[in-house]
Amino acid sequence: MATLQAIKYNDGQLEILDQLLLPESCTFIPIWNVEDAWAAIREMKVRGAPAIAIVGCLSLAVELRKLAAPETKEELCRLVQEKLDYLVTSRPTAVNMHLAAEACVKLCTRLTDNTSVNVAEAKDDIVKHLEAMLANDIADNRAIGEHGASDIMKKNATKDKLRMMTHCNTGSLATAGFGTALGVIRSLHTASKLDQVYCTETRPYNQGSRLTAFELVYEKIPATLVCDSMAAAAMKQFKIDAVIVGADRVAANGDTANKIGTYQLAVLAKSHDILFYVAAPFSSIDFQIPNGHSIPIEERPHSEMTHTGSIRTAAAGINCWNPGFDVTPAELITGGIITEKGVFKPDQLAPHQ
Ligand code: MRU
C-alpha cells in the first residue's frame, strides 16, 4: 500500500491535505501563495514542524515561478526575505521554518555576490533550493527510521518484538513523508520487530487519536490508542520497551520542545526504566539557543480545552491554561536523539556532525 502523502507538489502546483477534516475526509486544498500557506499553517490545516517549513517554502517557490524576474538580484532577494520573514511568524515554537528561511537568505546573499549569475538564474536557483526540501525531507526521514530502528533493536537484542509508545503525530502527515518518530516505528514494523505501538490521544488537540491513529490504521501497523492519562498504567501493564517522540525544537544542550504531554511521558519513562528517544532531523535543532528555557512556547485557544467540536465539555467560566508544547530536559532523553546523521546522546550534538 502507498504511504500517506499530505503535501503534493508538481511543477509549481502545491496542494495539501486539509488535516482539520481528518479522519472523516481526505480533502486536498490548493496553496497559491505565501498568504495561503501562512493561513493554512496558522489554522493547523498543515502542522508538524517539518511539514510547516516545507509548505511555507514550497508556497514561496509557487510564487517565484510565476514572478517575472525583478530588475536586480538585490530586489529579488529583498522580496524573498520579506516573504520568508512573514512565513516565520505563522507559528512560534517549531524552528524548522526559521532555519529554512535563514538558509534561503544565505543562498540569496551568495547569489547576489556571485557576478557570474544573472537575476533570472538567481531566481531559478532559489526555486530549485526550495523545491529540493520535499525530497530531502523524505530521505532524511528514511535515514532517521533506519538509525532509530537499529539502535532500538540493538538495545533490546534479547527481545523478539518490541512495544513502543509515541505521542502526537510525527508521521507522513507531519513531514514530507514517512515521518520521524513514526518513521522509526514504521521501520521496526517493516523489520518485523514491532509487536504493538501505543499512541496517546494527545489532548487537547488530539493529534494522536485523529492523525496518528489514522496513519496507523491506514498502513495496517499494529496499534492501540490510549488516553494521555493512561500512559503510566500502559507502560506498566504492557511492559513498553521504548517511548519515541518528535521535536519542534531541540536546543544546543539537547533540551527538546515537543507537543504538550511529552515531558510527562519522559518523567514516567524514567520511573519505569524505559528508554526515551527523540527523533528529529537536524533542521529541528537550534544551535543558537543554549537550552530549553529560551524556546518560545505557543499558547493555544482555550476553546480547544473547553469544547469538543462545537459542544462545550468544560464548565462555562472556568479559567484555562493551554500551552501547545512543553520542554523535556536533556537528561530525560535516555535513549538518545535520533537524526538522519545517526543517534546522539543529547550532550553530543554539534552543528557539523
Ligand atoms: O501543534 P502541532 O500539531 O504542529 O505539533 C506537532 C508536534 O509537536 C510534533 O511532535 C512535532 O512537530 C514533530 S513532527 C515530525
Side-chain angles (χ1 to χ4, degrees):
M1 176 190 288
T3 55
L4 264 181
Q5 196 188 0
I7 304 170
K8 289 186 183 169
Y9 183 83
N10 201 3
D11 233 1
Q13 304 282 326
L14 174 61
E15 286 187 327
I16 60 161
L17 183 58
D18 183 348
Q19 298 188 27
L20 295 181
L21 304 179
L22 286 173
E24 286 83 24
S25 109
C26 282
T27 306
F28 280 84
I29 52 169
I31 300 288
W32 300 109
N33 49 44
V34 296
E35 283 77 17
D36 282 357
W38 189 95
I41 295 166
R42 177 59 73 101
E43 291 162 18
M44 308 270 276
K45 288 178 177 166
V46 59
R47 26 68 47 209
I52 289 169
I54 293 162
V55 169
C57 288
L58 287 179
S59 72
L60 178 54
V62 170
E63 276 202 29
L64 289 178
R65 270 176 173 252
K66 288 186 286 205
L67 180 88
E71 291 204 346
T72 65
K73 287 191 279 183
E74 285 76 8
E75 219 180 306
L76 171 69
C77 292
R78 235 185 343 266
L79 180 114
V80 167
Q81 172 133 32
E82 264 170 31
K83 295 199 180 271
L84 289 168
D85 287 348
Y86 170 64
L87 285 163
V88 160
T89 64
S90 54
R91 289 189 72 196
T93 303
V95 76
N96 308 54
M97 185 65 231
H98 293 254
L99 296 183
E102 265 178 30
C104 190
V105 168
K106 275 191 192 143
L107 172 66
C108 287
T109 308
R110 284 200 301 280
L111 291 167
T112 307
D113 293 346
N114 186 344
T115 48
S116 63
V117 174
N118 69 31
V119 63
E121 291 163 341
K123 184 170 89 85
D124 287 350
D125 280 2
I126 296 166
V127 169
K128 276 194 203 112
H129 168 84
L130 296 167
E131 290 178 344
M133 286 180 70
L134 206 51
N136 290 344
D137 188 60
I138 295 178
D140 287 350
N141 293 340
R142 287 193 180 277
I144 289 171
E146 277 168 32
H147 290 307
S150 74
D151 194 84
I152 294 167
M153 289 192 294
K154 203 164 70 200
K155 288 179 180 151
N156 288 280
T158 56
K159 293 178 186 150
D160 183 33
K161 294 219 177 201
L162 301 169
R163 293 173 180 181
M164 305 290 295
M165 181 176 278
T166 192
H167 188 57
C168 196
N169 174 263
T170 59
S172 298
L173 296 169
T175 62
F178 199 75
T180 55
L182 211 56
V184 174
I185 288 165
R186 207 186 291 282
S187 296
L188 286 170
H189 178 58
T190 306
S192 302
K193 280 289 181 184
L194 182 72
D195 174 36
Q196 191 80 197
V197 52
Y198 295 85
C199 72
T200 55
E201 189 180 27
T202 319
R203 279 279 291 153
Y205 203 74
N206 296 332
Q207 286 93 334
S209 53
R210 286 196 307 113
L211 308 176
T212 302
F214 177 79
E215 287 200 37
L216 292 167
V217 171
Y218 184 90
E219 306 223 359
K220 298 190 170 56
I221 295 176
T224 300
L225 177 66
V226 293
C227 297
D228 302 337
S229 50
M230 299 167 188
M235 284 180 188
K236 190 172 166 190
Q237 170 97 5
F238 302 117
K239 299 189 172 46
I240 301 293
D241 295 298
V243 177
I244 185 161
V245 298
D248 288 85
R249 190 183 303 224
V250 181
N253 73 340
D255 289 352
T256 295
N258 190 52
K259 181 51 54 192
I260 189 73
T262 301
Y263 174 32
Q264 70 191 13
L265 289 183
V267 172
L268 291 177
K270 176 124 182 143
S271 73
H272 288 84
D273 204 15
I274 295 171
L275 288 171
F276 187 91
Y277 287 91
V278 167
F282 258 67
S283 55
S284 300
I285 307 177
D286 187 352
F287 287 103
Q288 291 163 27
I289 54 165
N291 56 51
H293 295 298
S294 337
I295 301 177
I297 301 292
E298 178 182 5
E299 290 263 351
R300 307 269 320 152
H302 293 177
S303 56
E304 289 177 358
M305 293 170 65
T306 56
H307 288 69
T308 300
S310 57
I311 301 181
R312 175 177 277 283
T313 49
I318 187 67
N319 188 34
C320 295
W321 178 56
N322 188 16
F325 303 90
D326 56 27
V327 175
T328 299
E331 64 268 21
L332 293 181
I333 305 171
T334 50
I337 299 182
I338 306 165
T339 74
E340 68 277 23
K341 299 179 189 178
V343 183
F344 300 95
K345 288 281 164 214
D347 61 359
Q348 289 171 346
L349 289 173
H352 301 293
Q353 229 115 21

